[in-house]
Amino acid sequence: MRRWAGPLAALLATAVAAHALTLHFTPAVIMDRAMAALEERGMALHAFTTPQRVTPQTQTVVRSSPDLYYALCRYDLGGSPARLSVTMGDWPDYQSLSFFDARTDNFATMRGTGRAIAVRLLPPGSAAQEGAIVSPTARGVILIRRLAPSAERFAAAAQAGKGDACLLERVSG
């Protein structure tokens, strides 16, 4: 049994290391592929999309809720000093504003039922500021969800979406 102890320990160490590396790198790879797919589908950088209503025909990857209106904004705060000004327009029913970093982590979510929300998104390493969120990574995705269970409510949510904004602001200095 002793002659197998060394190889078994090496096998166990290799398996643990492979598992840890997979857990560490997989989220970044998934988000990188998702960001590339969003770009290929024509989703602009630093702007919310006008979504289609979720149906089996429009959903390509994960089955989203057909009762929700979704709007996405891809962002990249790398390079020159910049911040993102994010506004979620007024909506009388449930709505939320969620921020996802380049590792797929949801680092902030705000609920805005019956009110608009405005916030600034700052690049990694920025000092905390009142009314601002610091992104843990330079790139990511912002998601707005609105409760819109019927075609009529979806059209109304799309109208409310005209008040949404995801604007890059260059910062001097």
Side-chain angles (χ1 to χ4, degrees):
M1 180 67 180
R2 282 195 158 163
R3 66 183 229 193
W4 291 101
L8 284 175
L11 177 65
L12 181 62
T14 302
V16 168
H19 180 72
L21 289 172
T22 299
L23 291 178
H24 179 75
F25 288 111
T26 298
V29 170
I30 291 170
M31 185 59 111
D32 190 55
R33 291 190 66 202
M35 295 283 280
L38 291 172
E39 184 177 6
E40 287 171 11
R41 288 177 34 202
M43 294 199 177
L45 192 62
H46 309 128
F48 279 109
T49 61
T50 304
Q52 293 180 314
R53 190 152 189 245
V54 174
T55 66
Q57 293 75 31
T58 62
Q59 195 60 31
T60 57
V61 181
V62 177
R63 178 80 171 140
S64 302
S65 172
D67 291 341
L68 294 175
Y69 165 99
Y70 297 94
L72 286 172
C73 172
R74 295 184 310 119
Y75 69 87
D76 187 347
L77 299 173
S80 65
R83 64 183 177 204
L84 207 58
S85 177
V86 181
T87 304
M88 179 174 65
D90 188 24
W91 179 246
D93 293 323
Y94 169 83
Q95 69 175 354
S96 66
L97 180 63
S98 299
F99 297 82
F100 297 89
D101 69 12
R103 294 190 42 79
T104 70
D105 293 328
N106 176 213
F107 63 92
T109 297
M110 299 170 204
R111 186 173 173 170
T113 301
R115 64 185 174 94
I117 290 178
V119 65
R120 286 212 162 73
L121 184 65
L122 306 176
S126 297
Q129 297 177 8
E130 181 82 24
I133 299 168
V134 177
S135 178
T137 60
R139 294 178 30 175
V141 175
I142 302 166
L143 174 64
I144 291 178
R145 296 179 193 96
R146 289 190 172 100
L147 182 61
S150 67
E152 295 78 23
R153 293 304 292 155
F154 189 88
Q159 190 66 25
K162 292 180 180 179
D164 301 337
C166 183
L167 304 169
L168 184 68
E169 299 175 345
R170 299 285 177 204
V171 179
S172 60

